Amino acid sequence: MPIKVTHPSQSLFDKNFRYRRAAETDIRKTFARVTRQIKLAEQQALAGQQELLPLQETASTVVALPARCGRGAS
């Protein structure tokens, strides 16, 4: 199996990077924020699908196919 190389999502040298000690973090707030972001993204995706793919009734043609006899049919 080939080795998968992963890189950090943010560089230590990025100006927006802020170091926080583990004692100063609140994982509950992080999970709550991520959950809100996921729900918002799902709502936007659903709204986007409804705008881009409107459901319209279209006439369809139904073609009757002849019955086929399989093996062992009497």
Side-chain angles (χ1 to χ4, degrees):
M1 175 182 263
I3 297 173
K4 183 178 179 183
V5 178
T6 59
H7 299 284
S9 60
Q10 190 175 26
S11 171
L12 293 174
F13 303 111
D14 189 0
K15 292 179 182 180
N16 296 325
F17 177 77
R18 252 184 37 200
Y19 176 78
R20 291 187 187 106
R21 294 176 17 166
E24 296 171 352
T25 60
D26 188 356
I27 194 72
R28 291 174 292 181
K29 288 182 182 178
T30 302
F31 274 101
R33 177 179 48 85
V34 171
T35 302
R36 283 192 308 270
Q37 290 174 344
I38 290 172
K39 286 181 183 178
L40 179 62
E42 288 174 348
Q43 289 172 354
Q44 290 174 347
L46 182 61
Q49 283 182 352
Q50 291 173 351
E51 291 173 10
L52 296 176
L53 301 173
L55 299 176
Q56 299 175 356
E57 289 188 30
T58 58
S60 63
T61 304
V62 178
V63 178
L65 299 176
R68 297 190 319 184
C69 295
R71 278 194 246 169
S74 330

